Every structure is written in C-alpha cells, then in structure tokens.
Amino acid sequence: MSHIIEVKNLTKSFSDKTVIDNISFELKENQSLVMLGLNGAGKTTTISMLLGLLKPSSGRISVLNHPPGSDAVKSSISCLPQSSTFPAQLKVKEVISFMQSHYASYNTEIVDIFNLKDLLNQPLKNLSGGQKRRVSLACAFVGNPRLVFLDEPTAGVDISQKKVIWKFLKNYQNSGGSLFLTTHDLMEAEVLSQNLLFLHQGQIVEQGTREDLKKKFSLKKVKFKCTNTKITIDQSSYIAGDNSYFEVSTNNEVDFVERLLNHYKSSISDLSIHEMSLMEVVDHIEERK
Amino acid sequence: MKLVFAYIKTELLNFFRQPSYVTSTLIFPSVFFMFFALPNIDSVEGAQLMFGSFSCYAVLSVVFFQFSVTTAMERASNWQQFLKTLPVKFWQWMTARVLVSLSFALMSAFILMFTVFVTTELEFSMSLVAKSFFALILAGLPFCFMGLTIGYLVSEQSAIPVSNLFYLPLSFAGGLWLPPEALPKVVQEVSMYLPSRHYGEVLWSISFDQTLPMKSVYHLLVTLVVSALIFAFVFRLDHAKKRL
C-alpha cells in the first residue's frame, strides 16, 4: 500500500520558539491517522504545513507524492479547519454551490448525509456552532476527495450528530478514503483511528496503530468483585473501588488471574477481562510525561 | 471561467449583504462631490471638469483604497487561508477579485454620474457614458495592482494608514479634488508625474469630447505594466515565505 502522506524530520520554528520539533510519520492510502495532544502541542501547525499553508523550517513533506499545496494535490484533498471560515452572510446553499463549482464531479447526496435540507436557505450567521460544523463537513466532502484533513471535526457538535458524522467518516474510509485528523475527543479517536500519534510540545511521544499502542501499554483490565476490601498478590496490594470491585491493569492477564484464583478463589465473583480503552492508554502516556 | 463566476458571485453576495459597507463605499465619492465640488460649479464646463475628476476619484477610492484594505484584512482571515487549499488557480481567483473591485468602482461612478446629472446642467449622452465607463475601467487597472501590492505588503492593522498615505496625495496632487490649475505651484509640477493626474487627463478629454491625450495614455500603460510586475514580485515573495 502506498504512502499518501510522508513526513520526514519536520521542524517548524517561529522566531526562536520551536513549535514542531523533528517529527516523522507516514499515512498509508485508505488509512486514518489521529493526532492527539494538548492545546498548543502543534497539531494545527502540522496540518497547516501538510496543506502547504505554512513553510516548514526544515524537513520534508510529501502529500500524494507531491509537495503540499501544489495544484496536483489540491484537487484530491480537502480540509476542515478548526473554526468556520465561510463568510457569515452567505446562505448554506450558496456555500455548498460555491464548493461544488471547484470539482468536475461532486457528491450530490451531501446535503442529505449531513441533514442540511432544512438549513439550505439560512445564512451561516444564523446557525449554531454544531450546524456550522455540519456545513463545513459537507463542504470538505463535497468533491469526493482521496484524503481529508480534519481539525477537530466534531467540536461543538452534540452526541447524536457526532454519531452520524462518525458513521459517515467510517463509510468514507471503507470506500477507500484516507483521513488525517486531530481531536481532543478520545471516543472519536477510538472510533476513527487506525493509527495514532501523540504530540507533546512539538515532539512525537508515541505513535503506532491503535492495537500496537494498546499492546505496548500492556494492557488488559481484569475486573472482579471480592469480599475482601484489600488483596495482596506477590507483594502487590490492591484496594477495592466502587461496589467492592477491583480493577487491575496487567500485561499478562492469564498469569494474574491464575494467581488471583490461587489466593482468593472463594472470595472472587464477577470476574471479567477487558481491553483497555484508548482513554486509559492516553492516561498512561500522560502519566509517563 | 465557471470558477471565476462562482468567485464573483460569492464575493458580490457577501458584500451586498453588508448594506452599511456597500452604501458607504458606493456613495462616499458622490457625497464628497456635493460638499466640495458642487458649490463651486457655475457652468456646464465646470460640471464636465468635476465629473471627470470625481469619477476618477470614485474608482480610485474603490480599486485603490478599498482593495488594498480588504486585501490586507482578508489575507489574515481564515477564509483566505481556506481558499488556498482549494483547487483554484491564482489567476482565476485574482480575475474574480479584480472584476468585483472594478464592478464596485463602476457602481460608485454610476451613482456619481447620477448625482452630477441631477445637481448640474451637464447632459449625459450614451456616447459619453459608454466612453467614460470604458476609460474608467481600463485606465483604473494600474490602481488595482497598486492597491493589491499594498494589500500584500502591509498587515491588516497598518493597511488603512498606509493606503491613505498614497491615496490621499494621489487624489489631491493628481487634481481630482481641485482643478490642476488651482493646485499650489509645487504640487502642479509634481502632479505631471502622477498616474492619477494622467487618469484625470483621460477622463477630462472624454468629458469635454476632445481627442485622447496620448502622453497620458502611454503614461498609464507604463504604470500598468510596472505596477503589475511589482505586484507579481510582491505576491511571489509573500507566497515563497509560506510555501515549501
């Protein structure tokens, strides 16, 4: 599978402040990459460089095997900026028609997909934040792009609309599209990511596939109920949480459960083993930082 | 061209839905005419002269002043950043911008023409209207590029003062507010080197139904080429700063 984005030793400095510090990553065609990080980590700066809006201080970027921002790239990509960019006086139908005029063929169902039919005659200035976000998303996908850059795609969108958007983005991926997105919403990252990249103060602190990262950070969660409020296994002590449930993270759940049952077999009930959620993996990474 | 029209339509819709912006931009030269020119007009010749002067001023205020200020402001806006990610060629976007700017300028000139028609004894033949509009557009192009150059050189905060620094002297010393003969001696001498003065000369010749002053036409042609080249250089410089 070919790389749709290749970034090598990318650095961006503003005056004497280094915002992106020697990062490298790749994204294969028909894959998604979610960039996570706190505010100011450098996510938007990275997207701006990938779109050709900012010149890197050093390093190399290739998008669809071309320099970012080149004419060869622009007709095959699109982006959803962090905030609504369209002039507020324009009506929804005018914005969508304007976007359609850039492409030889375009998605004619985009209005229905993002549930915009009732909003078509409304000027953008009258829309709520979530409605504006849906309009921007419709615009990002109207030209059937191969690769879409999404900067916090569901910021300000309610949960029911988020689900609609996530479903659309999954379908888009399943039909061969590639996604590069930043988000603070870990549920969104869990749903949409195949690859994850954690940015902290301009540096990549972790990257890999979602499954690899979960493995790297162990991790399975063993959950059980015990009549004791405190248990000790091989010199490690655990204290019960809510409703006498214990939750133990381990990278060897079989061994742990064996030892647990050897020591406390008669007191244990409701034992189950869970995959770690992405949120818990992120907690581990943040704790480590 | 389909994309150029889409950009023109979008810009016009955006501007026309801001009535205060549109009204003030379009009627300002006419208001200026009524305050400063009309009280001194006592003959048809005077009206012809002032129509030529103020129609140039109307175009200058839109394509030079407004264009430079809005360009500087929009360069900093998310909308312009977003447009740079779309599959549109620079010439398509720029053609649309220039045409929108010129169409606004012509609307302003048309309102001025109506004001002159209502308030003076000057008669407007179809020939005068057509020639005036044609000359206003073509001879106004160098000022478009000048406005764009300033818009690309300065920040949004300094766009208004910097534009005023050029636009006010160009208007005054070019003889667009006062007849050139009424200007101070030293200004009259400088005036002959200003493109705004030659712009005025072209429109005065049309207004008085005289032959075109070729010296002024050549002056404006040279100014057009030089201003377009300077803009191309400034644009590439701005582009190179950001791009790979």
Side-chain angles (χ1 to χ4, degrees):
Chain A
M1 208 181 287
S2 62
H3 288 129
I4 203 161
I5 297 176
E6 278 185 276
V7 172
K8 289 248 183 284
N9 308 114
L10 184 68
T11 296
K12 178 68 189 173
S13 304
F14 294 106
S15 302
D16 56 347
K17 192 177 181 224
T18 301
V19 180
I20 296 296
D21 191 2
N22 196 29
I23 66 171
S24 300
F25 61 89
E26 289 156 351
L27 174 64
K28 287 178 182 164
E29 180 119 42
N30 192 18
Q31 293 261 309
S32 64
L33 191 153
V34 175
M35 188 178 255
L36 294 164
L38 302 174
N39 286 334
K43 302 185 297 293
T44 301
T45 304
T46 306
I47 284 201
S48 295
M49 287 191 281
L50 290 170
L51 289 168
L53 297 173
L54 267 182
K55 183 185 173 187
S57 303
S58 63
R60 197 176 71 81
I61 302 175
S62 156
V63 178
L64 299 166
N65 296 316
H66 290 91
S70 58
D71 287 344
V73 174
K74 283 181 180 176
S75 55
S76 301
I77 66 151
S78 71
C79 79
L80 172 80
Q82 211 172 71
S83 54
S84 178
T85 58
F86 298 102
Q89 282 74 21
L90 295 183
K91 292 178 181 172
V92 172
K93 65 179 179 187
E94 292 160 352
V95 169
I96 290 172
S97 157
F98 172 74
M99 290 301 295
Q100 286 172 340
S101 61
H102 290 84
Y103 307 98
S105 70
Y106 48 81
N107 189 338
T108 51
E109 290 162 12
I110 209 80
V111 168
D112 294 325
I113 292 168
F114 288 102
N115 197 17
L116 297 173
K117 226 168 199 166
D118 295 339
L119 302 176
L120 285 176
N121 286 310
Q122 292 286 325
L124 292 179
K125 64 181 176 187
N126 291 356
L127 304 186
S128 69
Q131 288 170 328
K132 279 184 193 160
R133 207 67 187 145
R134 274 154 51 203
V135 174
S136 298
L137 274 160
C139 290
F141 287 92
V142 78
N144 300 316
R146 275 174 70 189
L147 167 65
V148 185
F149 295 90
L150 304 160
D151 202 355
E152 298 180 24
T154 56
V157 178
D158 64 52
I159 189 67
S160 69
Q161 284 301 322
K162 268 186 188 184
K163 285 178 182 169
V164 173
I165 291 167
W166 291 342
K167 190 178 169 194
F168 171 78
L169 294 176
K170 290 297 276 183
N171 286 342
Y172 166 75
Q173 249 188 288
N174 292 338
S175 60
S178 308
L179 293 172
F180 180 99
L181 65 138
T182 71
T183 185
H184 289 292
D185 185 336
L186 294 175
M187 199 192 293
E188 181 165 278
E190 180 92 58
V191 173
L192 297 174
S193 67
Q194 286 163 322
N195 302 281
L196 285 156
L197 192 156
F198 292 87
L199 209 57
H200 180 66
Q201 294 178 349
Q203 293 181 323
I204 294 176
V205 288
E206 279 302 335
Q207 66 174 318
T209 65
R210 189 180 57 196
E211 300 315 318
D212 284 349
L213 286 173
K214 282 185 179 177
K215 270 184 208 158
K216 182 171 177 179
F217 290 93
S218 9
L219 288 169
K220 289 273 171 47
K221 191 163 61 184
V222 181
K223 196 174 174 185
F224 55 90
K225 206 170 183 179
C226 185
T227 49
N228 306 24
T229 53
K230 185 181 174 186
I231 61 169
T232 304
I233 299 171
D234 298 342
Q235 294 170 350
S236 297
S237 298
Y238 305 93
I239 296 167
D242 293 343
N243 301 325
S244 306
Y245 272 99
F246 287 77
E247 285 187 7
V248 178
S249 298
T250 172
N251 54 7
N252 193 343
E253 69 281 8
V254 178
D255 183 53
F256 178 83
V257 170
E258 229 175 66
R259 283 181 288 131
L260 175 71
L261 295 176
N262 284 342
H263 286 86
Y264 299 98
K265 190 175 182 181
S266 54
S267 331
I268 299 290
S269 61
D270 274 2
L271 189 143
S272 58
I273 298 171
H274 301 267
E275 287 280 340
M276 285 283 269
S277 72
L278 185 60
M279 195 176 288
E280 287 157 327
V281 172
V282 171
D283 282 345
H284 273 262
I285 292 171
E286 303 239 310
E287 275 166 26
R288 202 184 52 175
K289 280 188 306 204
Chain B
M1 285 309 281
K2 183 184 151 208
L3 200 49
V4 174
F5 286 120
Y7 274 72
I8 291 174
K9 182 184 162 195
T10 303
E11 290 234 4
L12 286 176
L13 284 172
N14 184 31
F15 285 134
F16 275 105
R17 294 205 180 125
Q18 301 175 67
S20 54
Y21 171 80
V22 173
T23 313
S24 57
T25 301
L26 296 185
I27 69 164
F28 181 71
S30 297
V31 172
F32 211 63
F33 167 82
M34 286 199 285
F35 279 137
F36 298 104
L38 192 59
N40 302 317
I41 294 175
D42 52 10
S43 63
V44 173
E45 287 75 26
Q48 284 173 305
L49 181 74
M50 283 297 120
F51 166 67
S53 303
F54 274 79
S55 58
C56 288
Y57 172 67
V59 173
L60 200 66
S61 68
V62 175
V63 301
F64 186 93
F65 182 73
Q66 289 289 353
F67 208 19
S68 62
V69 173
T70 50
T71 300
M73 286 174 152
E74 286 180 357
R75 271 179 60 229
S77 71
N78 290 337
W79 170 234
Q80 289 299 317
Q81 292 292 306
F82 178 70
L83 292 182
K84 286 181 186 170
T85 69
L86 297 177
V88 56
K89 300 252 187 300
F90 172 71
W91 73 263
Q92 293 172 311
W93 172 75
M94 187 50 67
T95 305
R97 294 223 59 195
V98 169
L99 289 177
V100 167
S101 180
L102 286 173
S103 59
F104 258 77
L106 284 187
M107 281 183 249
S108 184
F110 181 80
I111 292 171
L112 177 83
M113 193 178 278
F114 181 75
T115 309
V116 174
F117 176 73
V118 170
T119 57
T120 73
E121 291 173 3
L122 182 60
E123 298 284 332
F124 284 93
S125 64
M126 280 307 288
S127 154
L128 173 62
V129 173
K131 279 186 197 167
S132 299
F133 278 177
F134 190 66
L136 283 170
I137 291 176
L138 286 185
L141 279 172
F143 302 103
C144 255
F145 286 112
M146 289 180 202
L148 277 171
T149 303
I150 291 175
Y152 267 87
L153 277 176
V154 301
S155 68
E156 54 182 322
Q157 289 86 0
S158 48
I160 291 179
V162 172
S163 299
N164 270 328
L165 203 63
F166 290 93
Y167 154 77
L168 296 178
L170 273 175
S171 304
F172 174 71
L176 303 184
W177 292 345
L178 292 173
E181 311 82 59
L183 295 170
K185 192 98 183 131
V186 65
V187 180
Q188 281 188 40
E189 281 174 26
V190 175
S191 180
M192 288 314 297
Y193 300 98
L194 297 178
S196 49
R197 170 64 183 271
H198 294 283
Y199 195 23
E201 293 286 350
V202 168
L203 263 295
W204 292 322
S205 74
I206 290 169
S207 182
F208 284 101
D209 201 18
Q210 295 168 344
T211 52
L212 275 179
M214 291 316 289
K215 188 183 158 196
S216 292
V217 172
Y218 295 139
H219 189 108
L220 287 167
L221 271 175
V222 172
T223 311
L224 172 63
V225 173
V226 172
S227 58
L229 287 174
I230 292 174
F231 170 65
F233 175 74
V234 168
F235 175 77
R236 288 178 75 90
L237 206 68
D238 181 76
H239 218 53
K241 267 192 224 164
K242 292 176 181 145
R243 286 279 160 82
L244 282 169

